[in-house]
Amino acid sequence: MFPTHRPRRLRKHAQLRNMVRETVLNKSDLIYPLFAVPGEGIANEVKSMPGVYQLSTDKIVEEAREIYDLGIPSIILFGIPENKDFDATGAWHDCGIVQKTATAIKEAVPELLIIADTCLCEYTSHGHCGYLDVNDLTGRVLNDPTLELLKKTAVSQAKAGVDIIAPSGMMDGFVQAIRTALDEEGFQDLPILSYAAKYASAYYGPFRDAADSIPQFGDRRTYQMDPANSREAIKEIELDIAEGADILMVKPALSYMDIIWQVKEASYLPVAAYSVSGEYSMFKAAALNGWIDEQKVVLETLTGFKRAGADLILTYHAKDAARWLS
């Protein structure tokens, strides 16, 4: 005991602190989200997310080059189609905005890994993540018919050159359905990053502006998880592992670090944490008002995600973090 044990001895010098650091945040841990829109020369800043833009394909290609040059290995791609319909046609059409943009990125920056968000909410006229029961005005999503649309979407994204499929709609059996469809089309080696534990969170608010996907009615809590539950997260990840998931996602990250830890302890698969739009916007607003040191707070938070067990971090701060880490 004291005075024999003095933990401060290992905190005396910066180099020594670096040598004994348990958790290290690297640029290779980061994944940057991008929002693709039709047109040319378009860069629309998302009002509730300063510094984040809806970009046309040509602008995204420019952004992809910058991201890769910063040392960020991967992006996740969301699409906002020109037209939305009941069948989410823009999600699975071969000329869809994600398909077109993914192909253009691969031609320009072939080494940048492209993750495709495989969901339907950005493409449906009602803003929900699948087929709706037309006789039920509560917005009840029909699970099994939705799986058929997700299969078509995943295969079309794979054909466009996407490197990782990321289903995010929290449909029962979606990993197995997509895995089967990909294998049947010859994409046995394409990984699935499952949004395994996706909570019905208030932190998604600004994303609705970015992806133009506000539900017109109904309630996403019928398919996304209750924020009060943790055991359910383990049930979900165990099902996804059995169905063939290659990476597991926890979303959001900031209020769910205990879930990240539990998922990491329960599985040998890589774990991704999605630091969502509301987290980004809170930090940005506080920084713009001079209330926090953005760099220090963001890097501390990202390190916290890694300490909790995240191997990969999806964050709108990825570019800033990569520059700070350099």
Side-chain angles (χ1 to χ4, degrees):
M1 303 304 291
F2 180 83
T4 304
H5 296 286
R6 293 178 180 265
R8 287 182 59 189
R9 290 173 183 147
L10 298 182
R11 303 170 194 157
K12 187 175 181 180
H13 300 293
Q15 293 285 32
L16 186 54
R17 292 194 296 273
N18 289 337
M19 289 171 63
V20 301
R21 182 165 290 147
E22 301 169 20
T23 304
V24 179
L25 179 67
N26 296 303
K27 291 187 284 186
S28 58
D29 303 325
L30 305 174
I31 298 168
Y32 189 57
L34 288 171
F35 298 94
V37 295
E40 292 185 9
I42 296 173
N44 298 325
E45 188 171 24
V46 180
K47 185 177 180 180
S48 55
M49 299 178 70
V52 174
Y53 295 82
Q54 296 175 334
L55 300 169
S56 53
T57 297
D58 57 321
K59 290 292 186 179
I60 281 191
V61 168
E62 295 175 9
E63 188 84 345
R65 291 193 180 99
E66 179 186 0
I67 289 164
Y68 185 72
D69 289 344
L70 283 169
I72 298 168
S74 180
I75 62 169
I76 183 166
L77 195 57
F78 298 89
I80 301 98
E82 189 169 2
N83 298 301
K84 304 187 179 202
D85 56 36
F86 195 81
D87 295 326
T89 307
W92 47 266
H93 197 283
D94 289 342
C95 295
I97 185 62
V98 163
Q99 289 79 357
K100 176 183 176 181
T101 303
T103 300
I105 293 171
K106 273 298 168 188
E107 291 175 354
V109 196
E111 296 302 314
L112 183 68
L113 290 179
I114 302 173
I115 304 169
D117 178 74
T118 307
C119 195
L120 307 177
C121 61
E122 299 112 277
Y123 306 93
T124 54
S125 51
H126 45 70
H128 281 285
C129 297
Y131 265 130
L132 294 188
D133 182 345
V134 294
N135 297 315
D136 187 347
L137 295 181
T138 65
R140 186 171 73 91
V141 174
L142 300 177
N143 192 91
D144 295 3
T146 297
L147 297 182
E148 297 304 312
L149 290 183
L150 291 175
K151 288 161 64 175
K152 293 167 66 174
T153 301
V155 169
S156 70
Q157 291 172 341
K159 289 179 178 178
V162 163
D163 298 290
I164 299 173
I165 299 296
S168 62
M170 290 298 288
M171 295 295 112
D172 294 340
F174 68 168
V175 173
Q176 179 176 314
I178 289 171
R179 182 75 273 160
T180 300
L182 291 173
D183 290 355
E184 288 175 349
E185 292 293 328
F187 295 104
Q188 295 91 343
D189 294 331
L190 204 66
I192 294 176
L193 189 170
S194 172
Y195 286 66
K198 180 179 179 180
Y199 285 85
S201 173
Y203 282 95
Y204 300 150
F207 179 89
R208 309 301 182 212
D209 298 332
D212 190 20
S213 60
I214 300 172
Q216 300 302 305
F217 53 85
D219 194 342
R220 283 182 175 164
R221 288 179 294 181
T222 61
Y223 45 97
Q224 295 177 1
M225 288 176 55
D226 187 338
N229 293 354
S230 63
R231 291 193 301 269
E232 186 182 4
I234 304 307
K235 177 181 179 180
E236 288 279 5
I237 69 119
E238 288 175 346
L239 289 170
D240 284 2
I241 292 169
E243 292 176 17
D246 299 285
I247 305 172
L248 304 170
M249 174 105 77
V250 176
K251 181 182 180 182
L254 187 61
S255 293
Y256 298 85
M257 283 202 252
D258 60 319
I259 306 300
I260 297 170
W261 173 256
Q262 290 181 60
V263 170
K264 187 66 174 179
E265 290 293 293
S267 167
Y268 291 105
L269 293 184
V271 177
Y274 199 141
S275 183
V276 298
S277 58
E279 300 169 37
Y280 173 86
S281 295
M282 288 192 305
F283 291 155
K284 274 292 181 184
L288 289 170
N289 279 284
W291 298 335
I292 63 170
D293 184 316
E294 183 178 10
Q295 176 176 338
K296 290 181 179 178
V297 168
V298 169
L299 292 180
E300 181 179 337
T301 304
L302 297 179
T303 300
F305 299 150
K306 283 211 69 180
R307 191 182 64 248
D311 301 289
L312 307 169
I313 303 171
L314 294 82
T315 172
Y316 301 95
H317 271 110
K319 291 200 301 180
D320 291 332
R323 295 187 183 99
W324 296 330
L325 291 170
S326 295

